[in-house]
Amino acid sequence: MLLHLLSRRMPISREEEEALNDYFLDNSYVEGFVTSQADATLFDLFIVTPSQDLYNLHRWYKHIASFGSDRLKFPSLKRNCVTLSVNGIKLKMVNKNEEEINGQEGVEQQQLSEDIVDPWNVQASSNKGIDYDKLIDRFGSSRIDDALLERFEKITNQKPHHFMRRGIFFSHREMHKILNFVEAGKKFFLYTGRGPSSESMHLGHLIPFIMTKNVLKVQKHVTFNQVRGIFGFDESSNIGKIMFPAIQAVPCFSSSFPFIFGEKKDIPCLIPCAIDQDPYFRMTRDVAPRLGFQKPALLHSTFFPALQGAMSKMSSSDENSSIFLTDTANQIKKKINKYAFSGGKDTLEEHREKGGDCEVDVSYMYLRFFLEDEIRLEEIHQQYSSGAMLTGELKNELIQILQKMIFDHQARRKAVTDDIVKQYMTPRPLNFSIRKQ
């Protein structure tokens, strides 16, 4: 099968998608280790997003999509023609000449009809990001409203975190139940997770930090039909994906931590997480009563956007989409100035007249996460929206905040010695006072 991709406009078949998926298992791009017009050409052939179960192809597609109109700036192929041969299927990439490339009006990103949000993929259909109101309806969760925030403040005698006040944590499941426990003086525990030894941790990984033998039992009580309905699994889904929800569920149960809670099964769990992880715990809430456990409560956060815009979330696999916790002050400055999507206008005169758009400006989005001063945040919003503040000035506000925050994080991490890690990780009784609930 020989495909002349430039002239062909028929949908890519499932067989061809599978061949490409196998190819991108071992290759980052169509040719070599950098993007080229072959990637832009192949991307343009997809009428719809590739099938989500083809993980390697889907990863490549999302990565190329993140460049937007900059795909036109990809370098030409090193050769006039590149032919991929995978599993007997040949896919031919023909080089475009400079006149063709420069003469195009632009390759628009394939427009999604609706947002994609699941545990493996997050992609917005609008440059304003995910429609979280629709997600609440779709997932059947509850909105964090003024009544919940007022009750939180009344019971805890402190204002809710600005993540909750600003709608960064926007949805919940049974948060009132957790507040009932606090009001009654009873205990609960938090469940979140990170890979703190990873060198690819980025700013988005800080969000849960700021809020911060049962596997077989769960597996026996969850059928394939249940997980297929929740996660969309089919006969082509690998066994690792199918069995993982049970592993994700187990830390929700207090009896999973006998060195803390003994044999108690009635200590509730609160899980702060991004809403794409909700399907795991929706399943957990279904199975918990049958195992004699408490249903976990959840607080859902919005997604931390990539530097290129809110249509995708920050990713550890793309160094230019993320500010990493290991970045230097100079790297932070360069990434923000070069890659952070701007809501500003094309010319100074137009920007002064019409102002910037805070709804799509990534620097402003980041300030909503990390600038705690409500008054200053509102000032920036008004100044940028009116045109009094320029994009460069807005980015500089963010750069100063991130440079200090990441410098402080790196200093604290540097102070953690191997002995401290060993002491922390050594299994031992934790003498928490857990009175009878």
Side-chain angles (χ1 to χ4, degrees):
M1 184 183 299
L2 188 61
L3 306 181
H4 294 274
L5 297 181
L6 285 180
S7 61
R8 178 184 169 199
R9 286 298 179 267
M10 294 181 296
I12 292 180
S13 71
R14 173 71 184 192
E15 183 184 22
E16 292 158 358
E17 281 194 346
E18 290 174 349
L20 287 167
N21 186 63
D22 289 342
Y23 179 79
F24 287 120
L25 174 64
D26 299 314
N27 298 274
S28 298
Y29 302 104
V30 171
E31 184 183 37
F33 300 100
V34 296
T35 56
S36 72
Q37 281 302 313
D39 294 285
T41 299
L42 179 58
F43 178 90
D44 195 29
L45 281 175
F46 284 91
I47 297 174
V48 295
T49 303
S51 303
Q52 294 183 22
D53 60 310
L54 302 177
Y55 312 115
N56 308 311
L57 176 59
H58 203 270
R59 169 192 52 75
W60 169 88
Y61 180 88
K62 288 178 63 180
H63 176 55
I64 300 303
S66 70
F67 287 91
S69 60
D70 283 346
R71 289 191 296 275
L72 292 173
K73 301 176 184 177
F74 288 172
S76 298
L77 300 180
K78 296 176 183 177
R79 302 184 296 278
N80 288 333
C81 176
V82 176
T83 300
L84 309 181
S85 181
V86 187
N87 299 335
I89 297 177
K90 292 184 178 180
L91 302 106
K92 187 177 182 181
M93 309 290 166
V94 182
N95 199 2
K96 301 178 182 181
N97 60 42
E98 290 298 316
E99 183 177 351
E100 283 183 292
I101 294 172
N102 295 330
Q104 293 187 61
E105 294 181 359
V107 180
E108 296 298 326
Q109 182 171 336
Q110 303 295 334
Q111 186 67 36
L112 297 172
S113 59
E114 61 180 20
D115 300 335
I116 296 175
V117 177
D118 60 39
W120 308 280
N121 302 287
V122 175
Q123 193 172 354
S125 58
S126 163
N127 62 3
K128 293 182 179 180
I130 300 295
D131 187 330
Y132 292 103
D133 288 330
K134 286 185 178 179
L135 268 192
I136 289 174
D137 294 336
R138 174 180 156 193
F139 281 27
S141 58
S142 301
R143 186 173 283 98
I144 294 179
D145 54 16
D146 291 340
L148 179 62
L149 295 178
E150 289 170 5
R151 187 176 180 219
F152 184 101
E153 183 170 359
K154 179 180 178 182
I155 291 174
T156 63
N157 292 316
Q158 56 183 323
K159 281 188 174 182
H161 194 278
H162 70 268
F163 283 179
M164 296 179 70
R165 300 196 307 270
R166 295 176 187 172
I168 293 171
F169 276 82
F170 67 98
S171 167
H172 73 99
R173 294 189 188 275
E174 291 196 320
M175 188 61 193
H176 282 289
K177 176 182 175 181
I178 296 297
L179 292 178
N180 290 342
F181 269 74
V182 175
E183 196 169 33
K186 297 180 179 180
K187 304 292 185 180
F188 68 94
F189 67 100
L190 286 173
Y191 169 21
T192 186
R194 272 300 163 258
S197 62
S198 172
E199 291 297 328
S200 60
M201 291 179 67
H202 56 63
L203 284 173
H205 289 136
L206 287 179
I207 306 308
F209 282 148
I210 297 173
M211 292 295 291
T212 178
K213 105 185 169 184
N214 282 331
V215 171
L216 291 177
K217 291 181 180 179
V218 174
Q219 289 176 336
K220 289 177 180 178
H221 285 78
V222 178
T223 67
F224 178 69
N225 282 339
Q226 285 177 295
V227 294
R228 180 170 59 185
I230 295 172
F231 297 98
F233 295 153
D234 58 27
E235 290 77 6
S236 66
S237 299
N238 67 66
I239 193 170
K241 286 180 67 176
I242 295 170
M243 57 82 67
F244 183 72
I247 296 175
Q248 186 89 322
V250 166
C252 299
F253 308 137
S254 57
S255 62
S256 298
F257 307 100
F259 47 91
I260 301 176
F261 302 114
E263 295 300 318
K264 291 181 179 292
K265 299 172 105 179
D266 58 352
I267 311 295
C269 173
L270 174 62
I271 307 168
C273 63
I275 196 168
D276 60 332
Q277 299 300 297
D278 182 78
Y280 290 114
F281 304 115
R282 206 183 317 154
M283 180 209 75
T284 306
R285 286 170 55 82
D286 288 341
V287 75
R290 286 181 276 155
L291 294 172
F293 295 130
Q294 295 269 357
K295 290 183 178 182
L298 290 96
L299 283 174
H300 297 132
S301 75
T302 58
F303 299 109
F304 197 76
L307 286 170
Q308 286 83 356
M311 293 189 76
S312 61
K313 65 179 181 177
M314 188 172 278
S315 170
S316 297
S317 61
D318 183 358
E319 65 177 16
N320 292 328
S321 78
S322 307
I323 302 294
F324 292 100
L325 302 183
T326 52
D327 282 348
T328 64
N330 192 46
Q331 286 174 317
I332 294 168
K333 181 178 180 179
K334 285 184 175 180
K335 285 184 178 181
I336 295 296
N337 283 330
K338 184 174 182 179
Y339 296 110
F341 186 83
S342 170
K345 299 301 184 287
D346 293 336
T347 66
L348 175 63
E349 293 76 13
E350 185 182 8
H351 185 86
R352 291 295 192 195
E353 178 186 354
K354 299 179 180 178
D357 186 351
C358 289
E359 290 191 13
V360 301
D361 193 287
V362 166
S363 295
Y364 181 77
M365 292 178 189
Y366 283 18
L367 287 174
R368 290 189 69 247
F369 281 85
F370 299 117
L371 176 58
E372 295 188 28
D373 189 328
E374 299 281 2
I375 296 176
R376 180 56 185 153
L377 184 67
E378 180 58 28
E379 287 176 351
I380 291 173
H381 186 281
Q382 292 179 354
Q383 291 172 6
Y384 191 62
S385 298
S386 68
M389 176 180 284
L390 301 177
T391 294
E393 295 170 325
L394 174 61
K395 288 187 173 184
N396 190 56
E397 293 271 352
L398 175 64
I399 288 167
Q400 293 182 50
I401 290 174
L402 294 187
Q403 285 177 333
K404 181 180 185 306
M405 183 178 70
I406 291 181
F407 175 82
D408 291 345
H409 169 83
Q410 291 171 351
R412 291 192 298 269
R413 180 173 178 173
K414 189 175 181 180
V416 177
T417 64
D418 290 341
D419 288 340
I420 292 174
V421 173
K422 182 179 180 180
Q423 180 183 10
Y424 182 83
M425 297 302 294
T426 299
R428 64 200 184 281
L430 300 177
N431 299 316
F432 295 131
S433 175
I434 307 295
R435 68 183 182 86
K436 189 174 181 179
Q437 301 282 49

